[in-house]
């Protein structure tokens, strides 16, 4: 990032002025740390002990961005991982009480919320330490849940909400052994009807609606001028 700034600004003063007018986004960070740990068999309680270090790394990243004279920073939280094909496949349960109304795994979503709560506390501390900088939380969790709640109205196929467009295997068209991009793994003909692209990442359409939700949610908090 420092190298990039050095190549796009002719002087440090110019960089400062550019960065004060720019919007910086930090995150979503931590997803892969948790993914690897979960699929190595770590428990939710074990992962909770990782959250402090993950949030600390995010906080340090935000401080570095502020050091480049950023005046507006969005810090993005984690998704409801219990709604994603990778987790629905890997942690399938025959106990219906472990799922919520959207057929998401409640325990995994509770962990994502725990991460987000710790992150929001860190953002509050950053804001207190840097009162001249506008630091806000980007709520990917509720943006994703909003899409699930409005899926039919948004044009998503109710039968494909938690199936990967690119993938194969099981109830969710996802397998760790044959992921999207591997030989002979099929791609659906209607990605616009899917929320999940490859079982891990969302489709372009899903990200479009999440971005719109977050922009509407943060516009006034960022003190932007229409």
């Amino acid at each position: 990032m420092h190298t990039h700034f050095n190549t796009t600004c002719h002087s440090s003063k110019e960089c400062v002025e550019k960065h004060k007018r720019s919007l910086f986004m930090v995150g979503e960070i931590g997803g892969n740390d948790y993914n690897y740990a979960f699929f190595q068999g770590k428990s939710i309680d074990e992962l909770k002990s990782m959250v402090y270090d993950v949030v600390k790394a995010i906080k340090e990243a935000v401080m570095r961005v502020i050091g480049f004279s950023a005046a507006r920073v969005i810090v993005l939280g984690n998704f409801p991982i219990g709604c994603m094909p990778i987790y629905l496949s890997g942690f399938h349960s025959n106990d219906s009480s472990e799922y919520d109304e959207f057929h998401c795994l409640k325990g995994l979503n509770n962990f994502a919320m725990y991460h987000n709560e710790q992150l929001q506390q860190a953002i509050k501390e950053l804001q207190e330490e840097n009162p001249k900088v506008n630091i806000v939380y980007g709520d990917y969790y509720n943006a994703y849940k909003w899409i699930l709640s409005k899926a039919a109205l948004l044009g998503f196929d109710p039968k494909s909400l938690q199936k990967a467009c690119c993938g194969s295997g099981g109830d969710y068209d996802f397998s760790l052994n044959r992921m999207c991009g591997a030989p002979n793994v099929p791609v659906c003909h209607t990605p616009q009807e899917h929320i999940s692209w490859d079982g891990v990442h969302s489709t372009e359409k899903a990200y479009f609606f999440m971005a719109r939700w977050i922009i509407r949610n943060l516009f006034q908090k960022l003190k932007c001028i229409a």
Side-chain angles (χ1 to χ4, degrees):
M1 185 170 62
H2 181 68
T3 302
H4 170 71
F5 291 154
N6 282 341
T7 60
T8 56
C9 303
H10 296 99
S11 67
S12 58
K13 182 179 179 181
E14 181 187 358
C15 263
V16 168
E17 291 305 314
K18 278 186 176 181
H19 297 166
K20 283 182 178 180
R21 298 193 305 269
S22 300
L23 176 62
F24 287 79
M25 297 183 72
V26 177
E28 166 263 347
I29 295 172
N32 285 338
D33 300 279
Y34 301 140
N35 290 346
Y36 293 138
F38 270 122
F39 284 93
Q40 287 174 358
K42 303 294 184 182
S43 69
I44 288 178
D45 286 338
E46 287 177 298
L47 262 80
K48 280 189 174 181
S49 67
M50 290 175 55
V51 172
Y52 172 82
D53 290 325
V54 171
V55 170
K56 181 173 179 286
I58 297 170
K59 190 174 180 180
E60 289 170 355
V62 175
M63 285 299 300
R64 190 172 181 194
V65 168
I66 292 171
F68 287 115
S69 304
R72 293 187 180 92
V73 184
I74 297 175
V75 186
L76 292 158
N78 209 342
F79 296 95
I81 58 175
C83 301
M84 297 181 171
I86 181 175
Y87 281 100
L88 289 165
S89 298
F91 297 90
H92 172 77
S93 174
N94 292 322
D95 184 354
S96 61
S97 68
E98 293 191 16
Y99 295 87
D100 65 14
E101 70 274 22
F102 300 114
H103 192 70
C104 302
L105 287 160
K106 292 189 285 189
L108 290 166
N109 279 355
N110 287 339
F111 171 77
M113 286 192 286
Y114 176 77
H115 165 91
N116 291 338
E117 288 164 2
Q118 301 306 306
L119 179 60
Q120 289 176 77
Q121 178 58 39
I123 292 171
K124 182 179 178 182
E125 293 167 3
L126 282 165
Q127 188 67 75
E128 291 172 352
E129 295 163 6
N130 302 274
K132 294 183 179 180
V133 182
N134 196 357
I135 310 167
V136 297
Y137 171 66
D139 194 352
Y140 263 149
Y141 187 98
N142 282 307
Y144 195 103
K145 277 298 201 72
W146 177 82
I147 290 176
L148 285 176
S149 70
K150 304 292 183 183
L153 292 174
L154 298 175
F156 295 102
D157 180 1
K159 296 179 182 179
S160 302
L161 296 185
Q162 289 163 326
K163 291 185 177 184
C165 171
C166 180
S168 64
D171 294 334
Y172 308 101
D173 291 338
F174 178 85
S175 170
L176 281 172
N177 298 321
R178 294 186 68 233
M179 292 182 68
C180 181
N184 301 317
V185 172
V187 179
C188 71
H189 297 293
T190 55
Q192 71 277 7
E193 295 180 1
H194 285 67
I195 292 175
S196 179
W197 165 244
D198 60 0
V200 182
H201 307 94
S202 298
T203 58
E204 182 177 351
K205 181 176 177 180
Y207 277 124
F208 169 83
F209 283 115
M210 276 189 277
R212 193 167 74 171
W213 188 96
I214 288 172
I215 289 168
R216 287 177 175 175
N217 181 252
L218 293 184
F219 192 79
Q220 289 186 333
K221 296 176 187 176
L222 286 169
K223 300 175 183 175
C224 297
I225 299 173

